[in-house]
Amino acid sequence: MCGIALIVSGIRIDTSWLPLDSTSSTRKTEKLLFSFDDLKAALRRRGPDSVCAKKLLLQSEENLISSFSDDGVSSSERDNADGIHTAKLHFFGAALQLRGIKPLIQPLVDTLGNILVYNGEIFGGFHLESDCNDTEFLMRTLGECCSCASCSAGHCVECGKSSVVGVLSTIKGPWAIIYWQDSSRTLWFGRDGFGRRSLLVHWPTEDDSTFLLSSVSPVSPVQQATEDETRNGIGCLSYWEELPCGIYSLHVDVSKSGGYLVAEVKMREYANSMLTELIKWDRISVEPSSEDLRTCCHKLSRGQRSIYLASSESVPNETESVQSAISVPAHTLLDALKESVLRRTSLYTIYQAVISGIRQEDFVPVAILFSGGLDSMILAALLDKCLDPHYEIDLLNVSFDGQLAPDRQSAKAGLNELRRVAPSRKWRLVEVDADLSDLVFETSHVVSLINPANTYMDLNIGIALWLASGGDGWVSDANTSDNDDNLVRTKYKSNAKILLVGSGADEQCAGYGRHRTSYRRGSWLGLHEEMRLDMQRIWRRNLGRDDRCIADNGKEARFPFLDEDVIRLLLSIPLWEVANLDQPIGIGDKKILREVAKLLGLYEAAVLPKRAIQFGSRIARESNRKNFGSNRAANQASAGSVRISSKSNFG
């Protein structure tokens, strides 16, 4: 994982080709002041192993463009020469290295003058050896691509080489990229089709011609707002935007009049039909027949009775009955999820263990953001099956109400159930306790991380994720299966660099309350449309924000439920096998995942209702009291959607 950024100045960039109203050059954005050092510091928190920068100068003279590294001659000196115009491209990379056997520092520069900063993982699409670093592999592969900047197919029809679009479209896994292809004078940048890695953009405007890309905002506009803006609200658009998922090119040329460096931004289509179909999120079987529903309800009723019996110690043989009552799609999904977890947790232990100086027996390669709910319990049980048995597994749980928070109580219950299904594994529940009133600096910091998201709901989720992923908490002094409320706790900080997160499960399996509302209003088709909307906006509403908050701790979030093969499989399953919202909460919502939990022996987790992190950790309650006076006042003000607009809210 990396923090990546690019600052471009001296190029007149035309964004009118983009299908985005907000990119109009006549718009105005917030003012945001930060230095190169501010940007490096923000990126360094994401990539603590190394941080580096590279400056590329482009010079136009007599309709020709030359590129070279900065040699100490200032661009103003060059511009003073007759007919010479110079542009600067500053590339930044800060790495948290999780693959390969030798250190790798970004930006990478090859012998052809190409420059790459890459934040991602290649889990499929290409075959990589176990000791291969995927950034190094990608640099070699892109260096062999066609130099035709207009080529949009997977392979160039003229030279037969792969195209940049084709290579990026082939990657399975999360990625964000900035790549300068020197031979074509083209800057390529973009994000994977679901936005699993953050990449923010500041488009050039009439009052700020600079073009920027960054994994994270170094500072928050709220913190720099004037008193007038604070009082009246900031009236212009956000300085940063989430870059919409896609592949973009910026081809640099010389203007016909004046000899200035100019460029036009174009958004390219992914050159992978299977990926395009996933992004459309079309399901073949949406509306069941009456016979389909009868069969589904019969299986559900039979399964519920079997769960009750199997969870009773007096009827131990009912497990076989549970298995036989579970649908074939659930068995198939279990296999796909196991493969997804395996892809995200194998081959990543050697490098970090060596460079961190941690004894191998003390090294914890993977942790889970853990509420004890359905999704995190499934991930924990699957991780146990995929990870070498001698490694411990850290379960990271955050609470703003000590042992009384619902997520803390369900986490302890979940820990006991995991010890029952996987008794040979050493599980470590890391209890991260927080008091919102003590988090003045931390709250201000998270405001910058969630940017451009700017509501109290985003802030509450961001703080909870940031604290939990930091893994700085308490562990009990015994690995027992009974109530450990009275056990002595000791301070502990998880050193796991990879965090499994359950994002995508609710969107794909109808886990939100709004899904029930859509089903009541529009039946199966209404439910499908709402789920598709959730998946198509998850990059904007969730994943960019979550990636920034987790990565700020030098940890990499990985999302097994958002694996391309898992998404494809879930879309191939009839909707009524995925969820049946005629059934009560805890049964019909995320029905197929509840069946997966049963297959894993997680009978208690299989019936748990959905509970969002801001409510389960009780940060929403504390935030409402702090910022609105009470929960009642907050509800009347629709606090979750209220914008953060006052510095005083941090104090």
Side-chain angles (χ1 to χ4, degrees), residues 454-461 545 614-615 620 623-624 628 631 633-644:
N454 60 2
T455 69
Y456 281 103
M457 182 184 72
D458 291 307
L459 179 58
N460 292 339
I461 294 171
R545 174 200 65 204
Q614 66 269 35
F615 302 117
S623 174
N624 289 343
F628 297 91
N631 270 321
N635 292 334
Q636 291 174 341
S638 300
S641 59
V642 173
R643 289 182 59 181
I644 307 161

Side-chain angles (χ1 to χ4, degrees), residues 369 461-470 545-546 549-550 553 613:
L369 289 189
I461 294 171
I463 293 173
L465 289 174
W466 185 76
L467 287 171
S469 59
R545 174 200 65 204
D546 297 354
C549 291
I550 293 171
N553 288 295
I613 188 173

Side-chain angles (χ1 to χ4, degrees), residues 494-507:
S494 175
N495 58 45
K497 300 300 182 183
I498 297 171
L499 303 186
L500 298 187
V501 186
S503 302
D506 291 304
E507 287 81 0

Side-chain angles (χ1 to χ4, degrees), residues 448-588:
S448 70
L449 294 178
I450 65 172
N451 185 30
N454 60 2
T455 69
Y456 281 103
M457 182 184 72
D458 291 307
L459 179 58
N460 292 339
I461 294 171
I463 293 173
L465 289 174
W466 185 76
L467 287 171
S469 59
D472 191 357
W474 303 83
V475 295
S476 298
D477 63 353
N479 193 34
T480 59
S481 59
D482 40 279
N483 193 311
D484 57 1
D485 286 344
N486 297 320
L487 293 176
V488 176
R489 299 193 306 168
T490 56
K491 196 66 177 163
Y492 173 80
K493 184 174 177 62
S494 175
N495 58 45
K497 300 300 182 183
I498 297 171
L499 303 186
L500 298 187
V501 186
S503 302
D506 291 304
E507 287 81 0
Q508 295 184 84
C509 300
Y512 291 121
R514 61 179 174 270
H515 292 144
R516 283 188 176 272
T517 302
S518 297
Y519 179 69
R520 285 196 300 267
R521 292 174 177 172
S523 192
W524 293 97
L525 184 58
L527 171 61
H528 171 69
E529 291 297 333
E530 185 70 24
M531 293 168 68
R532 175 160 57 185
L533 176 63
D534 278 344
M535 281 298 291
Q536 292 182 339
R537 66 186 179 184
I538 193 172
W539 60 272
R540 179 190 289 115
R541 290 175 59 123
N542 303 78
L543 295 180
R545 174 200 65 204
D546 297 354
D547 174 71
R548 292 189 292 275
C549 291
I550 293 171
D552 190 68
N553 288 295
K555 311 292 180 76
E556 179 170 291
R558 296 186 177 173
F559 311 105
F561 291 107
L562 291 172
D563 180 90
E564 287 85 350
D565 291 344
V566 171
I567 296 172
R568 182 177 297 108
L569 175 62
L570 280 168
L571 282 173
S572 72
I573 297 171
L575 182 53
W576 59 92
E577 293 283 4
V578 174
N580 183 351
L581 300 188
D582 288 324
Q583 299 295 322
I585 294 173
I587 297 177

Side-chain angles (χ1 to χ4, degrees), residues 258-269:
Y260 296 102
L261 289 168
V262 295
E264 182 181 52
V265 180
K266 291 186 177 180
M267 186 175 184
R268 308 301 186 101
E269 296 289 334

